[in-house]
Amino acid sequence: SVCGAGGPAARFEELVSGQRVLRDSAAMAALLAKTDGTETTWGAFVDPSPGPSGGALGASPESLFWSIEYVDELKGRLGLRFADADAANQAREKLADVIKRGRANPIAGGYLSNVSIATEGSDIVVLLTLTQAEVLELAAGADKILPLLIFGL
């Protein structure tokens, strides 16, 4: 994914013109190295101008990466990269608190039982496993779960 100050159209024009390509981006290559390209979906996003601090996690992540495998169960890995390890540790503590509160929620709690969160340098890595039955329940009850995700646990 590409995002920039000139907007998506300006970044698209830059890529098409050959002035800059994603494979030449050291930041993108480092993120993609943390994904598993054999899984169902995977990718990375680099924001060249991350927003200001003060969001739900304290600092804003500069980029993210993910890998999701869905065969008999869903196994997801989401990484958020911050400016430094201190920012990642502070954000991990806030995210861990959100997950802890979410586990107490009667609707969302069961789906968060197999969530783990850790820091790896300046990255937060969240691992999630859902059984096929849980995935089907989530899909069937999306009208109940989506407001929780949008408006917070």
Side-chain angles (χ1 to χ4, degrees):
S1 295
V2 182
C3 182
R11 293 291 285 178
F12 179 75
E13 288 297 325
E14 182 180 351
L15 287 173
V16 172
S17 71
Q19 294 174 10
R20 190 170 170 193
V21 293
L22 290 178
R23 71 174 178 269
D24 295 335
S25 167
M28 184 61 80
L31 290 170
L32 289 174
K34 298 202 116 195
T35 66
D36 182 346
T38 66
E39 293 186 351
T40 307
T41 183
W42 53 273
F45 174 83
V46 176
D47 187 350
S49 55
S53 297
L57 298 178
S60 295
E62 296 180 343
S63 53
L64 61 92
F65 53 92
W66 70 90
S67 298
I68 300 172
E69 179 184 47
Y70 184 47
V71 180
D72 295 325
E73 62 184 1
L74 185 139
K75 293 181 181 179
R77 182 173 192 264
L78 170 67
L80 302 166
R81 179 158 293 168
F82 290 84
D84 56 46
D86 288 337
N89 284 323
Q90 291 173 10
R92 189 204 67 75
E93 288 177 16
K94 291 182 180 193
L95 184 57
D97 186 52
V98 169
I99 291 170
K100 182 180 177 181
R101 287 193 320 266
R103 285 182 175 145
N105 182 291
I107 297 173
Y111 302 109
L112 298 174
S113 62
N114 290 320
V115 173
S116 65
I117 181 172
T119 51
E120 297 175 2
S122 62
D123 296 341
I124 293 177
V125 178
V126 180
L127 302 175
L128 165 71
T129 302
L130 296 172
T131 65
Q132 189 171 30
E134 289 171 326
V135 172
L136 294 174
E137 286 172 15
L138 278 171
D143 60 327
K144 294 178 185 130
I145 298 296
L146 285 177
L148 292 174
L149 296 175
I150 294 169
F151 300 113
L153 300 170

